Amino acid sequence: MSKRFRLLAAGLAAVFTPLVTAQVRELPADAADIGLSRHGDPQAWQTAARVADVVTIGPGPAGTLPPPARALAVEFLDPSSNAEGDAPSGMAFTPDGARFVICNRDSRNVNVYDAATRAVLANVDVSGSPGGIAISSDGVHAVTANLWEDTASIIDLNTYNEIATVPVGAQPGVVRISPDGTLAVVGNTVDGSLSVIDIATATELRRISGAGFSSSLSVNFEPGTIALAFTNFEFAGNNTIVHPNYFGDQVSFYDVNTGAANDVPTLTRPRFVAITPDAGKAVLSHTFPGTSITVLDPNSQTVAKTINLGVDLWGPISIRPNGVKAAVAVQNAVRIVNLNTDAVSPAINTASVNQLVTSSTGAYALGVGFNGSLIDYATNQLLTNLNQLVSTSFGAASPTGQRAGMVAQTFGEDLLVVNTNGAAGFAEYFDTSGPPPEADAPRTVAISPDGSTAVVVNLLSDSASVINLNTRTVLGVVAVGDRPAEVEITPDGTQAVVANLDSTFASVINLNTLAVTSVPISRRASEVEIAPDGSYAYLAVVADGDGVWRIDLDTLTTVGGKLLTGDMGSVGFLHQQSSGMTLSPDGGTLVTCNSFANTASGAADRISIVDTATWTELTEVTVGDLPARATFSPDGSTIFVSNRNSDTITVVSNAGAASAAIATIPVGDQPFEMAVDPNAATLYVLNYGDPTVGVVDLNTNTMTASIPLPNAPAGLHLDGDRLHVATGTWSVTLGPGPLTAITRAGEFTTIDTQTLAIDEQIATGHPAADLRVRGTLAVAPSPFDGGVLLIDLADACPGDVDGNNTVDLSDLAILLANFGNPAATREQGDLTGDGTVDLSDLAELLSNFGGSCS
């Protein structure tokens, strides 16, 4: 029979939106190796859609599996215990500059902040997934474009309530409000229309067709974040919309009162538009490729002229309120164009810019991106960089005072508020974009030895959630370092150690008090191992001289300095995993997988063997191409190394300085995590590229079986005669409209290791990034969906051998027929999972005899 699993989805910020189906094709060639990074840098892929393009980005198309045999119980838990701000997608200031708002696509809400103090004034839940937001000129209303629900929400900013929801076109992603505050225009990006909404009556007055949209898409594969940007349009006065039609090679002037359109031909691929406050002048940028800007007269609805910059444009553009100059983004720079003389400034080094906004005084252009460059329109000079903390995607300038905000949505979910007072400008505030504490993109997990506590590391919010697994309650969310990676818990369950990729310290959490201590090490800590006696924590670092740090967990100080090993980094797989590190069962030997070139001896494709007592690297052993993971045999005498690129397992003798490779075993495509049975007779390996579980006979060093999996594997755990595997995938499909689908899938599979049959396979719906099992509970974080899967492995009907939901004479007959069988399966009566049908199995059956589980 199959065990019945109880699936508990603990949502860290979980909102699951309806999806639109679309045609799918493979990942573009330029994104194929996106997960590989020598120094563990976050890896992203970016593209822009064209008409009829269908581009799918993600680990791969979802597989299929039969529905579960039994109903699953699902519950949701919010470990941050407050409203969050997930997938921030738009920002706007109120006209008086006193407040600003951020709309959040995945948490389906709008956070309202005090601009001066950054205190959260309100969290407004909306009945959609807002992809853009605008505020009326009187500051009374905000309007959101709800991407997946094909609606627009109207919010009262006095009462902080959603007061109306208006149906619009397909996948609305842009919204603007007329200067007099009476009309909102929503851009429907898939059906290429504009919905004109009367804000007072919350009605769609008309829908204007023919407004083609383009979009850009950025994906960060580590947390699975997706950032979207669409062609913008702007009001020119209260009655006219100016819309660059990227695919039509024209600019369209729409009368919002009548729906009439005036399509004016332009240079190819107009993408962004900026307009002076008096609507006297507008500028268009042209991209992919495009080297010119177009100057428009909105009053006469004509092209005034074009100005060639002589270099490919990046897209973003802004205009000085007096109409004399424009700031234009090019690759990794900005140029200032004099719109009267056509003079073009030299490139101003800003790094990549995602948006350009003009300060309230009209004197400066702010480049929204990593640098946050503030540029003087008058002198064409870079005055200062206000960011250099996080790559921001969008922003807004206060209409009054010297303040602006920028928000990150790809490499983090962060809010940066800056002072724009010229060269004296500075960063006023930097923190997560939602109300703290947040728990965004849970990526790794550790469970205490007694199974009572889980620590979940939240990648985007730089935090760790401590969860009581018995009560399913959050004990606290604590701040750790930037971009936290692996976490492990000490054997006594009192401390958790977190590696932080973008900080120069490790975080040690006291699980009794939830106090956090920062222990200085070097940058890019990725993996953690803890000594069996709890004395030391070992942390692998993958940059600035790759190696391992040793932390004394009593004194919380490093001991012996950093020990250099070979070069490690990001090795791909689901959610961008790091080069593996493992510790022998007795704690005496530490192994690092040197996945990249320049090991200490100058060779690649090796592992380092480290003596933890003397804190020395004893030797380097040559293995296969790009070693990704290593694991020990139960007695510690043998090391098994999975080689990602050569599709092999290398068997290494653990003999100190004499350690050597003794066998090479061909396995499946891109071998990843492994588990060895207690007798060291069988090794199980996740073949990520197939995807399968490979079964390796360690007596003959051959792979003897391959068990198909429904999707990409994320983790495995061997528990007696059961092998548990978490799998999943996600993808984003761009085109033929700007965005047509975000899909995800997740599964949990249990395999009977005696029969190699799948004992249970359930669709969780959420792709996992890690898997830990303790007792009868499996825990798998899902960064893409912002939650943690809790899967109850306890038998829902103890003693029911034949699977009819009743413990009766038929079950007893099966058990007695197999009594004494030393290689029995559960279906043959081995209820305790020890491999033998004996008195303990009979006792379990008799204790439940006559019971019904239906």
Side-chain angles (χ1 to χ4, degrees), residues 68 83 170 187 266 359 422 445 488 572-573 630 650 689 692 754 782 823 845 850:
T266 65
S359 65
V445 62
E488 294 292 352
F573 305 108
T650 301
T692 60
Q754 296 187 43
S782 176
L845 187 150

Side-chain angles (χ1 to χ4, degrees), residues 51 59 154 161 167 177 195 221 231 264 304 309 312 341 447 454 464 478 489 496 549 557 560 595 700 703 710 741 753:
V51 166
I154 301 176
N161 288 309
I177 295 179
S195 292
F221 288 84
T231 303
V264 178
L309 279 68
D312 284 338
T341 67
I447 304 176
V478 299
I489 295 177
W549 288 90
T557 58
S595 308
T700 62
M703 189 173 79
T753 59

Side-chain angles (χ1 to χ4, degrees), residues 44-205:
W45 189 81
Q46 185 174 33
T47 190
R50 297 210 44 182
V51 166
D53 274 357
V54 181
V55 180
T56 297
I57 304 98
T64 59
L65 72 164
R70 319 218 181 167
L72 302 175
V74 180
E75 71 180 56
F76 295 93
L77 171 69
D78 180 2
S80 65
S81 302
N82 72 309
E84 294 206 349
D86 295 337
S89 300
M91 181 182 191
F93 278 84
T94 54
D96 61 3
R99 297 172 293 171
F100 62 82
V101 298
I102 297 174
C103 66
N104 305 293
R105 185 189 69 225
D106 288 357
S107 52
R108 293 166 48 124
N109 59 6
V110 173
N111 304 132
V112 185
Y113 293 82
D114 182 294
T117 67
R118 269 71 64 184
V120 178
L121 301 176
N123 172 72
V124 184
D125 292 327
V126 296
S127 52
S129 308
I133 191 167
I135 294 178
S136 60
S137 55
D138 60 5
V140 174
H141 294 112
V143 179
T144 65
N146 301 325
L147 190 67
W148 305 123
E149 297 75 21
D150 300 343
T151 62
S153 294
I154 301 176
I155 298 168
D156 188 318
L157 290 178
N158 291 326
T159 64
Y160 298 130
N161 288 309
E162 180 187 47
I163 58 175
T165 302
V166 183
V168 293
Q171 291 193 3
V174 186
V175 59
R176 296 291 186 268
I177 295 179
S178 60
D180 63 9
T182 62
L183 299 178
V185 175
V186 175
N188 306 307
T189 64
V190 166
D191 62 20
S193 67
L194 302 177
S195 292
V196 181
I197 298 171
D198 182 282
I199 295 176
T201 63
T203 56
E204 183 185 34
L205 300 177

Side-chain angles (χ1 to χ4, degrees), residues 346-361:
I348 301 167
N349 185 13
T350 59
S352 182
V353 168
N354 297 311
Q355 185 183 354
L356 283 161
V357 297
T358 297
S359 65
S360 63
T361 63

Side-chain angles (χ1 to χ4, degrees), residues 485-486 499 524-529 538-541 577-581 629:
E486 192 178 24
R524 287 284 196 270
S526 60
E527 298 284 300
V528 181
E529 292 287 342
Y538 305 97
L539 290 97
V541 293
Q577 304 295 322
S578 297
S579 300
M581 178 178 71
R629 287 290 185 270

Side-chain angles (χ1 to χ4, degrees), residues 41 116 164 343 366 463 479 507 510 545 579 690 757 782 826:
D41 298 305
L366 175 64
S463 65
S507 300
N510 184 314
S579 300
D690 290 338
S782 176
R826 179 177 178 78

